[in-house]
Amino acid sequence: MKNPFSPAFWRSPRPPHAFVLTRERLVYVGPADPRRRAPLSAAPAFRVLFRPLPPDTFAAGPDGSPLAGPALSGALQRLLAETGAKIQAASLVVPDGWVKLLVVDAVEPESHAREVEEVLRWKFGRAFGEPAPALRLSWQPAGAGAEGARILALAAAEQAVSSWEAPFEKAGIRVGALETAAFAVSALGARAPGDGFLVWADDDTATTLVFSGGQLRFARTRSFTEAGEAVQDVRLAVTFGMSDRPADAPPADVVASCAAGPSGSPVAEAVRAFRAGAGAAEPTFLTLSRLVPGATITPAGAAQDPATLAALGALAGGD
């Protein structure tokens, strides 16, 4: 089975180039000197380039997934001309809302992989609607569940994923890792040892990644219309993700460490307000200076761009 997704718990060595795709932009982050690799551990220099995407770049597929049209290929070609580098492989980051997350329990999943995949495809098929599209699917055990092991799974419509990858393949670039923004950012050290959670809300969705005992235990992405609504969903996700805590333990969403971003987002600020009202420590805000100390970004204004942080997270797997 082809594994198209590679979030923080499915990482592998990465090429030194990353692209971030949104509905409005295609962003490139790579070494400032295109002839050299830029390891994150060496206070590296990066450059950020981007091209705006016209409003008609994406069309809704039968299941609502964004299908990329010819405009994406044109934007990529113009961006590649600007990089001046020969890129043979790259990572690609897409918005959290373009991929569906599912958490289920399974008994001895490694020994019954085919059965687990069949159940996941059936459950995801219901989430995508009828008729269910062909799916790109990936899953990973995430510790003990109520029955057997907990499984975290990701899926996206094959037609949509292929449309995102096609311009890169046409340009001779192999997409070595495809992941969502929240999982990409989590690779930059946002996850704390022990119990903690990360909140990433860069668009109209908020993603919560919950860690317990240093292991990713739960993940959920939800769309929201106002920040307070998103915070309530974050709290529910944390409570479920750390459900193995003693019944008399303090609320996990208060005592667990928290990372939030991008800095200044309404949801991140609402999480800060909730934590302050509960007497909890302020969230660790995800900024370049905190995540990649000493890094130099050109242009300087791109240093706090959420797409830059997501791209650097995608690059982090190469260290």
Side-chain angles (χ1 to χ4, degrees):
M1 179 182 66
K2 182 178 181 182
N3 183 344
F5 303 112
S6 188
F9 48 103
W10 294 310
R11 302 196 71 78
S12 57
R14 302 298 178 85
H17 307 278
F19 293 87
V20 178
L21 179 60
T22 73
R23 287 190 179 274
E24 295 80 26
R25 297 184 300 163
L26 178 62
V27 181
Y28 164 81
V29 177
D33 183 347
R35 298 167 299 178
R36 303 181 66 179
R37 188 179 179 85
L40 293 181
S41 59
F46 295 97
R47 59 176 174 163
V48 180
L49 305 171
F50 76 92
R51 286 287 176 177
L53 298 174
D56 62 351
T57 299
F58 298 97
D63 60 288
S65 298
L67 304 181
L72 178 58
S73 183
L76 176 61
Q77 291 297 331
R78 291 188 291 273
L79 198 56
L80 292 175
E82 193 174 351
T83 67
K86 182 173 178 57
I87 301 175
Q88 297 179 326
S91 299
L92 177 62
V93 180
V94 298
D96 294 341
W98 291 12
V99 174
K100 293 189 184 299
L101 277 164
L102 187 64
V103 179
V104 300
D105 286 349
V107 178
E108 298 182 352
E110 291 92 342
S111 302
H112 302 88
R114 179 171 296 181
E115 291 87 344
V116 170
E117 183 174 337
E118 289 176 354
V119 170
L120 290 172
R121 289 190 180 279
W122 177 73
K123 287 182 174 290
F124 273 124
R126 297 176 63 189
F128 278 91
E130 297 293 339
L135 297 176
R136 291 276 192 99
L137 173 68
S138 187
W139 58 272
Q140 177 78 11
E147 299 179 5
R150 181 176 294 174
I151 298 294
L152 296 183
L154 296 165
E158 173 64 39
Q159 184 181 13
V161 176
S162 295
S163 75
W164 311 335
E165 293 176 333
F168 295 91
E169 294 173 353
K170 182 179 178 181
I173 300 172
R174 180 178 62 84
V175 177
L178 171 64
E179 60 189 333
T180 62
F183 281 113
V185 171
S186 75
L188 288 174
R191 145 185 172 177
D195 295 348
F197 61 100
L198 176 149
V199 178
W200 182 257
D202 185 28
D203 49 18
D204 60 353
T205 64
T207 296
T208 306
L209 303 182
V210 182
F211 300 90
S212 182
Q215 178 183 30
L216 181 63
R217 293 281 288 134
F218 188 71
R220 179 156 67 184
T221 297
R222 288 288 187 271
S223 58
F224 65 92
T225 55
E226 60 95 21
E229 172 191 348
V231 172
Q232 291 303 313
D233 192 78
V234 167
R235 297 180 63 192
L236 289 172
V238 174
T239 299
F240 184 86
M242 298 186 188
S243 58
D244 54 353
R245 290 167 57 85
D248 58 349
D253 56 339
V254 174
V255 298
S257 60
C258 171
S263 180
S265 80
V267 173
E269 291 300 327
V271 170
R272 180 211 295 264
F274 159 72
R275 299 271 291 185
E282 181 170 290
T284 298
F285 281 88
L286 307 182
T287 62
L288 179 70
S289 59
R290 183 181 293 273
L291 297 177
V292 192
T296 301
I297 298 290
T298 305
Q304 301 310 322
D305 186 333
T308 302
L309 298 180
L312 291 174
L315 294 173
D319 276 9

